[in-house]
Amino acid sequence: MSNASPQRGALAALSATILIWAYSWVVMKQALAWAGPFDFAALRYLFGALVLFGALLVGRQSLRPPPLLPTVLIGLCQTAAFQGLEQWALVGGGAGHVALLAYSMPFWAVLLAWPLLAERPTGRHWVGLALAAAGLVCILEPWRGLGSPLSTMLALAGGVSWAGGTVLSKRLFQRHAVSPLSLTSWQMLIGALALGAVALLVPQRPVDWNWRFAGALVYSAVMASSVAWGLWLVVLKRLPTTIASLSSLGVPVVSVLLAWLILGEQPSAADGAGILLVLLGLAAVTGVLKWPGKVRRAG
């Protein structure tokens, strides 16, 4: 019974995290009615970083930044490029569709971990990548003209950027004793400043400050960028990494359903097939679907 309660708490935290992050894609799409993509992304992560620095102060953790160069690179990949590209993709693409393409991240991470972490893909990784590729083809539906090609490419590029930030973060944790909260706070601040610079340079519609926009900003900055991150740490601490990683794919699936219910973005049969193939691909990559072979280090 002593182990059952923490596990139930972790499952509750996982469910809350999935719902918060899934709904955030709908909010991100709605926010474009009141602000340009880069203005919203910059404001969201600036406020989110401030919340996280407040958490550092409350937890009496050091405000000293982690190793600067890798932290800057992570911030540019994981916050500036990923969030900027995905918010831009939402200008011409549906929330559910963009979320599905963004969550191709784990498969790009497998490929990037090979040169950056010397982790060679094994047989099950290649099976997972093949399943994911088939799933992406179903989601993209090239036989129907790709819909908005720019939105599609931006969403996929965002997924690659997220994967780059993930792999760089893992490499930093391997080489230095870094607090996850400190790293997240600093990389988010750096990414927000970079997004702010882009917002100043790129012509956009003026921000329409109203209560609905303020609500979208608060939800995105506090709930999706801060609270959900804390819940995710609980999940990673109490549940096996494989289960947590696989469960994170619930985010784009729930996003598709919420976009259908709230925004009227009805998924096609091909979208359903693509979702299933991507989930099977991640199951293979994480080892839920067993495949012979282990990750080997190069050399």
Side-chain angles (χ1 to χ4, degrees):
M1 293 295 293
S2 61
N3 291 330
S5 182
Q7 188 171 34
R8 282 198 298 267
L11 291 173
L14 176 61
S15 299
T17 303
I18 289 173
L19 287 173
I20 291 171
W21 277 341
Y23 182 56
S24 72
W25 289 93
V26 174
V27 173
M28 288 163 64
K29 178 69 175 181
Q30 292 174 324
L32 292 172
W34 309 299
F38 301 113
D39 282 333
F40 179 73
L43 289 169
R44 168 188 178 175
Y45 284 98
L46 180 59
F47 289 146
L50 293 176
V51 171
L52 291 180
F53 276 106
L56 283 174
L57 291 173
V58 171
R60 297 184 178 181
Q61 294 191 35
S62 172
L63 294 180
R64 181 178 179 181
L68 191 57
L69 179 58
T71 302
V72 169
L73 292 176
I74 293 167
L76 293 177
C77 288
Q78 193 158 294
T79 294
F82 170 54
Q83 298 297 336
L85 290 169
E86 298 301 342
Q87 192 69 47
W88 188 5
L90 286 168
V91 173
H97 190 78
V98 171
L100 282 170
L101 297 177
Y103 272 81
S104 63
M105 179 277 289
F107 309 105
W108 305 120
V110 169
L111 296 176
L112 291 175
W114 191 352
L116 295 178
L117 299 176
E119 294 180 357
R120 295 178 182 175
T122 64
R124 65 180 172 84
H125 291 139
W126 291 118
V127 169
L129 290 168
L131 288 168
L136 288 176
V137 169
C138 290
I139 293 166
L140 295 175
E141 296 185 76
W143 52 88
R144 297 180 62 179
L146 291 179
S148 172
L150 177 60
S151 174
T152 295
M153 296 308 298
L154 290 171
L156 287 173
V160 175
S161 300
W162 184 11
T166 299
V167 172
L168 290 171
S169 297
K170 183 174 181 180
R171 187 168 69 173
L172 180 60
F173 285 130
Q174 289 176 345
R175 296 180 177 182
H176 303 276
V178 176
S179 160
L181 179 57
S182 176
L183 174 61
T184 303
S185 302
W186 279 101
Q187 71 85 16
M188 190 177 291
L189 177 61
I190 291 167
L193 294 176
L195 284 168
V198 173
L200 290 174
L201 295 172
V202 177
Q204 299 173 84
R205 57 163 298 165
V207 176
D208 179 11
W209 289 98
N210 57 63
W211 287 111
R212 290 178 296 175
F213 177 71
L217 193 58
V218 169
Y219 182 90
S220 298
V222 178
M223 296 299 294
S225 302
S226 304
V227 172
W229 180 85
L231 292 172
W232 183 244
L233 285 185
V234 173
V235 172
L236 292 178
K237 183 177 181 180
R238 297 183 181 178
L239 292 179
T241 303
T242 296
I243 295 176
S245 299
L246 182 61
S247 300
S248 70
L249 261 287
V251 175
V253 174
V254 176
S255 293
V256 169
L257 297 176
L258 291 176
W260 185 7
L261 292 172
I262 299 172
L263 302 176
E265 299 175 3
Q266 184 171 357
S268 65
D271 286 331
I275 290 171
L276 178 59
L277 286 168
V278 169
L279 289 174
L280 288 173
L282 188 65
V285 166
T286 57
V288 174
L289 291 180
K290 299 297 182 183
W291 189 261
K294 298 180 178 179
V295 173
R296 301 187 304 274
R297 292 201 173 272

